[in-house]
Amino acid sequence: MKKFAMFITAALLAISFNSLAYTLSGTPTQIPKDAMQYCAGAQNFWVCVDTYERQHK
């Protein structure tokens, strides 16, 4: 049962990152797949994505 609950929690977290990625202005933002992989373990995800996009224009 614990494994099932952990799986559901991980799935909901993954869905929330994909469907609720909005900026402060309320417009949806597209996060490149490479940036998602690069910033997966970062302490501050959005700062990492910003930095990644500036470096890889």
Side-chain angles (χ1 to χ4, degrees), residues 8-30:
I8 295 297
T9 303
L12 290 174
L13 182 62
I15 290 169
S16 71
F17 272 120
N18 291 332
S19 64
L20 298 176
Y22 284 89
T23 61
L24 290 176
S25 63
T27 57
T29 182
Q30 297 289 51

Side-chain angles (χ1 to χ4, degrees), residues 26-54:
T27 57
T29 182
Q30 297 289 51
I31 303 170
K33 186 176 181 179
D34 294 338
M36 288 284 281
Q37 291 175 348
Y38 180 78
C39 297
Q43 284 184 336
N44 192 328
F45 180 78
W46 293 110
V47 171
C48 181
V49 169
D50 256 356
T51 305
Y52 181 89
E53 287 179 344
R54 274 189 261 126

